[in-house]
Amino acid sequence: MSNTYKSAGVDKEEGYRTVDKIKSAVAETHNNNVLNNLGSFGAFYEIGGYKNPVLVSGTDGVGTKLKVALDTKNYASIGIDCFAMCANDIVCHGAKPLFFLDYLACGKLDADVAAEIVMGMVKACKDNECALIGGETAEMPGMYQPGDYDVAGFCVGIVEKDQVIDGSKIKKGDKIFALPSSGFHSNGFSLVRKIFPDFNEEFEGKPIHKTLLIPTKLYYQDIKKLMENVEISGIAHITGGGLIENLPRIVPEGLCASINESEIKVPSIMLELEKRGNIDRMEMHGTFNMGVGMTVVVDEQYVAKVLDLLPDAYEIGEIVEDARKIRFV
């Protein structure tokens, strides 16, 4: 019998079936700026209506949160996570997400699983007024075991050059607001899995994987609402490294984000992990978002406006003079 690609472990027909399952849903994310459909070698997106546009890009994956999804066969939220980790980063600079591309690698492709992951991306793209214009599915036997998947994405956004948010306008006296997270998002799961090895154990009346797999919150609509009504001095997406590593990235030299730690609303799942793992609170703040998915820095005059526009937001600190970029009080 002669060798074939399928005999080596790659089933092209399953790849075609994946495309058939997602093609119409992906097309629903397109707008008049998308100039071609799935199947081309490259994806085309036309830019118009900007005077001095700046493109802002971001790429990321889902990390070992994938292990929770794969072990429990719950794939619906993973695509949302992948998109959110990319899009939330570019939103920090005031950029509107334009288009997204994904990369899905596996040991043996299952069209149903792949389609479920991509459908999560479709949902997230729609929520963010973003087009899913392309992607790549790689079946790699020998590199991945059957049942294993890895997911990554790439998002491009746009902002007028004079509207770029980069933290340079942050000054003493500015207020720091927390935009709540939906949970762990997609960070720290190597430690999460160590402390919670049984994904089916009960937590607050349901299997713990239901809580662990809550998808990463999308912040574009909230930030868009703020940008239309107030002047934002800085935005930080609180991902791996928590507040300790991410908030200082936008704070100018000589200034410091002074955080009132007691004001932070820590989710119960994180308190349980902290207790069960006997983890120091500052280690928690340096690993997880601790309930703060994004921070927004504004002038004091906009405090009431922020609270009116985003009822879930709350103040956690202010900008002070200090050689340290961040401190907890």
Side-chain angles (χ1 to χ4, degrees):
M1 180 183 294
S2 62
N3 284 314
T4 64
Y5 207 11
K6 188 172 184 178
S7 72
V10 178
D11 187 349
K12 292 187 292 183
E13 294 299 324
E14 196 70 4
Y16 303 148
R17 201 163 78 87
T18 301
V19 173
D20 287 340
K21 280 179 165 290
I22 66 174
K23 198 167 187 178
S24 61
V26 169
E28 292 176 6
T29 71
H30 293 181
N31 52 41
N32 292 334
N33 299 98
V34 180
L35 303 183
N36 63 337
N37 297 313
L38 287 181
S40 300
F41 289 103
F44 295 80
Y45 193 98
E46 183 177 37
I47 296 174
Y50 289 81
K51 295 178 180 179
N52 196 4
V54 174
L55 296 179
V56 184
S57 60
T59 185
D60 209 337
V62 183
T64 63
K65 185 176 185 177
L66 270 168
K67 185 68 173 169
V68 183
L70 297 176
D71 285 2
T72 60
K73 301 187 185 306
N74 287 278
Y75 314 105
S77 64
I78 293 303
I80 300 174
D81 285 312
C82 185
F83 175 84
M85 295 303 290
C86 300
N88 285 344
D89 274 353
I90 69 172
V91 165
C92 290
H93 298 291
K96 175 194 182 308
L98 292 178
F99 57 84
F100 181 76
L101 297 95
D102 68 278
Y103 176 78
L104 178 62
C106 61
K108 182 173 177 55
L109 183 63
D110 182 320
D112 293 327
V113 173
E116 190 171 355
I117 293 172
V118 175
M119 291 302 288
M121 298 174 187
V122 168
K123 181 182 185 304
C125 283
K126 286 182 176 180
D127 290 345
N128 280 247
E129 304 168 13
C130 182
L132 177 54
I133 60 173
E136 172 71 10
T137 301
E139 194 171 12
M140 303 165 65
M143 288 290 292
Y144 296 92
Q145 295 301 311
D148 283 348
Y149 285 82
D150 198 7
V151 184
F154 180 85
C155 190
V156 173
I158 192 167
V159 60
E160 290 283 7
K161 190 172 184 178
D162 62 0
Q163 295 177 17
V164 171
I165 298 171
D166 59 7
S168 60
K169 295 181 180 179
I170 291 176
K171 63 187 184 305
K172 179 182 176 181
D174 283 353
K175 302 301 181 181
I176 304 168
F177 280 87
L179 276 58
S181 70
S182 55
F184 287 107
H185 286 181
S186 299
N187 299 109
F189 271 84
S190 294
L191 180 54
V192 170
R193 292 184 299 108
K194 180 179 180 180
I195 305 302
F196 299 132
D198 180 4
F199 304 145
N200 290 308
E201 74 163 276
E202 187 172 294
F203 176 75
E204 297 184 340
K206 57 188 177 183
I208 199 167
H209 71 257
K210 298 283 189 182
T211 299
L212 299 181
L213 289 175
I214 294 173
T216 304
K217 187 174 179 179
L218 298 162
Y219 292 99
Y220 167 66
Q221 297 294 348
D222 285 347
I223 297 301
K224 178 184 177 184
K225 191 182 297 184
L226 287 181
M227 288 181 63
E228 291 172 347
N229 292 277
V230 305
E231 184 176 345
I232 301 175
S233 300
I235 307 172
H237 183 199
I238 310 305
T239 54
L243 281 168
I244 290 175
E245 291 187 19
N246 289 286
L247 189 48
R249 294 165 66 176
I250 64 170
V251 179
E253 292 297 327
L255 296 178
C256 171
S258 181
I259 303 299
N260 188 340
E261 203 269 339
S262 65
E263 293 296 320
I264 296 175
K265 301 173 183 178
V266 184
S268 58
I269 185 67
M270 296 184 188
L271 293 174
E272 177 66 19
L273 180 133
E274 178 183 44
K275 177 183 177 181
R276 194 179 301 189
N278 191 29
I279 304 170
D280 180 79
R281 178 53 64 97
M282 285 301 106
E283 175 69 18
M284 293 289 291
H285 276 300
T287 305
F288 306 107
N289 63 57
M290 296 298 278
V292 181
M294 188 165 276
T295 55
V296 176
V297 182
V298 299
D299 186 278
E300 188 174 14
Q301 66 176 305
Y302 297 120
V303 167
K305 193 71 171 176
V306 171
L307 294 173
D308 181 57
L309 291 166
L310 303 180
D312 289 340
Y314 60 97
E315 190 175 331
I316 59 170
E318 65 177 341
I319 301 297
V320 299
E321 291 182 346
D322 197 317
R324 297 169 290 177
K325 289 292 189 77
I326 188 170
R327 72 185 189 192
F328 289 80
V329 296

